[in-house]
Structures are given as C-alpha cells and as structure tokens.
Amino acid sequence: MATDDLLFVVLDGAGGCLVALDVPTLAGPVSRAGRGGVIHLVPSGRPVLRPDPPGNAGLRALTGAGTVAVAGATVALSALLTPFVGAPIGVAGLALCGAGYRSGRSALDRRWGDRHRILRRPAEVGVFAGAFSAAQTILMLWPRLRDLVQVSTPSRELAGSLWTLAGLLHDRADLQEQLAELSRAAARLPAGSRAAAPLRDELAQRQALLRASLTELAGAVDARVSALETLAGECVDLVRDERAVVAAVEAIRSADRSLGLVVPPVVTPPDETGELASQTRSIVAAYRELTGLTRR
C-alpha cells in the first residue's frame, strides 16, 4: 500500500469479501461504517459488484456521450465550412473519441485490477474477517491509548496491513488452486506409462515448489494476523483494566457517600447537672469536715 489512506471492505453475505483501495461500485444503497482509514461498506441486501470499475461512469460522461455531441457539432460545422472535407473530419473525430473512450476505460480497468482483491474461499474470507475485526477494535479503542503511545491514529498502518493481508490470502488461494490442478493432472496420467514418467516428475517438482511457497505464505499470513490480534488484545486489556480501576474508585466513593448519610454513633453530651452535683458534693464534704458536721 503506497500513499493510500483509505481501505474499503465489503463482506458478502454469501461468503465472499472485496477489499479495495478505491470506492467499489455496488448495486443498491450502501451505508458506511468504521473508523479511521478502514471503511466497512454495508449494502442493504446482498452486495452486487457492478462490472464497471470505479470512475468509468465519469469517464463515459467525459469521453462517451459528451464527446459524441462534440463530434457531432464538429461534423456540422465542418460541413458548413467545407462540405467535401467535413465528413472525413467528423468521422475522424468520432473515431478519435471512441479510441479515447476505449483507452480511458482500459486504463481504469487496469487500475481497478491492481487496486482491489476479491476473496471467495471461506478459509481466506474467515482469516481476513478476523483480522478486520481486530483492526476495527484497535481503531475503536485507540483514543484511550493515543496520548500514551504518542500516535494520533494507526489508521494508515492498519489499512496497509489489511491490504497486504488481502493480497497474501488472494495469492494463497491461487497457489492452492494451482496445486489442486497439478494433482488432477497427475491423476489423469496413465499409470505405468514410460512416456508419462517425465511429466509425472515435472508435476511433482512443481507441486513441491508450490507447497514451499504456500508454507512461506502461511507464515506471512499468520504473522500479520497475529500482530493485529495481539495489538487488539493489548488495547482491550488496557481499557478493561482502566475501567476496572475506575469502577473500584467509584465504588469506594459511592460507599463513602453512603456512609456520610448514616447517623453517626450517639455521643452523650456532658451533663451539666451532674458536674454541678459532683462539685457541690465535694464542697459540702469539705465544709462538713471543717465544721465538724461530718456524718459518722
């Protein structure tokens, strides 16, 4: 993924997946979901990819009907100015417009072919869907990590990783199909035929090469998916732990607020009469001792 900041993902209800760097043309209303540079396109029904790559409609308006009208005007103007030369000029104009349209469409077709991947096998779609879910989790929770990691958004990195993963899965599906085709070709060879022996050896060599390539692809796919899932897990763990701490602090504060509403233990205020009585008894006792009125 070069300088693109957006990645568009369509998960087909029938088990397919489209991953593109340009907005794909889908039949019917489509809603957008997702964060950052990873956009999930959600069709209202089963998504149907139109045959035209993105941008062909605009090109058709520019080089199709629009240029035909211009060409028609050229024919009319040429006929007025030079009746005998006008027709060839007009035909040349139409031919040039048609060639321009075909050339523009061909360029768009090539660009679209290079900038989208379609996954059809359930195994590849399942792997990509899991990685896509991990990327969505990271983008959703990233605001809680932004200040800590000092990265405003990982959207570019996640979009690039998913795009590369889609390419790896697409290549893996192609290699697996080629391996199956070699196996079918080997099975059709006549058994025990000397003429078929060299072909059988060639097929076995190609199968070994394909298996080695598939092993390398499997490692690359696993590493990329593991990196996404690990990062998503770290985000989830951090946010969960932070929420647990916040919940504990709030529980303590709530308990403190409740304790503040409870009537505290009763503290008996000092009895002024009791103090006076005690003081009086002491004075009377001293007086009795002094005057001899002490009771025996």
Side-chain angles (χ1 to χ4, degrees):
M1 193 166 182
T3 59
D4 297 85
D5 295 324
L6 293 178
L7 185 73
F8 300 92
V9 177
V10 182
L11 292 173
D12 188 348
C17 177
L18 169 68
V19 185
L21 301 177
D22 301 311
V23 184
T25 304
L26 300 173
V30 178
S31 61
R32 291 193 179 198
R35 295 172 173 82
V38 182
I39 308 301
H40 187 194
L41 298 180
V42 184
S44 59
R46 179 176 175 179
V48 178
L49 183 65
R50 290 177 179 170
D52 282 350
N56 259 9
L59 180 67
R60 186 181 297 108
L62 179 63
T63 60
T67 47
V68 169
V70 173
T74 302
V75 172
L77 182 61
S78 299
L80 289 175
L81 295 179
T82 52
F84 298 101
V85 185
I89 292 177
V91 172
L94 286 172
L96 181 61
C97 292
Y101 171 69
R102 288 192 297 272
S103 175
R105 180 180 180 115
S106 177
L108 283 176
D109 289 340
R110 287 194 301 271
R111 174 183 170 85
W112 175 239
D114 293 338
R115 293 170 63 82
H116 87 283
R117 299 288 183 268
I118 295 179
L119 306 177
R120 295 186 175 88
R121 294 162 55 100
E124 278 71 36
V125 174
V127 171
F128 185 85
F132 178 55
S133 177
Q136 288 180 308
T137 299
I138 295 168
L139 289 170
M140 179 180 64
L141 299 180
W142 194 258
R144 303 292 295 272
L145 286 79
R146 181 169 48 212
D147 295 336
L148 180 64
V149 184
Q150 296 297 312
V151 175
S152 60
T153 175
S155 59
R156 186 182 184 88
E157 289 79 6
L158 293 178
S161 182
L162 288 174
W163 172 248
T164 302
L165 177 62
L168 293 173
L169 292 171
H170 183 271
D171 293 343
R172 187 174 77 175
D174 284 346
L175 291 182
Q176 288 174 337
E177 179 58 35
Q178 291 175 18
L179 183 61
E181 186 176 348
L182 289 175
S183 299
R184 289 191 294 267
R188 287 194 295 265
L189 288 175
S193 171
R194 292 183 178 180
L199 289 176
R200 199 178 299 278
D201 292 339
E202 291 285 340
L203 289 171
Q205 292 176 4
R206 301 304 187 277
Q207 287 175 318
L209 292 173
L210 284 174
R211 289 192 182 97
S213 297
L214 283 170
T215 300
E216 293 182 4
L217 277 177
V221 167
D222 291 343
R224 195 165 295 273
V225 172
S226 177
L228 287 169
E229 291 180 345
T230 299
L231 180 55
E234 291 176 354
C235 293
V236 170
D237 289 343
L238 178 60
V239 172
R240 182 182 57 204
D241 292 345
E242 284 183 342
R243 289 176 178 173
V245 171
V246 171
V249 172
E250 180 58 31
I252 293 172
R253 290 176 178 173
S254 178
D256 290 343
R257 288 192 296 268
S258 297
L259 289 172
L261 297 177
V262 174
V263 177
V266 176
V267 178
T268 304
D271 186 357
E272 294 83 357
T273 304
E275 292 181 0
L276 177 60
S278 176
Q279 183 180 2
T280 302
R281 281 195 302 268
S282 299
I283 295 173
V284 169
Y287 175 76
R288 285 179 179 275
E289 185 70 27
L290 179 62
T291 61
L293 295 176
T294 303
R295 293 180 181 180
R296 304 277 177 193

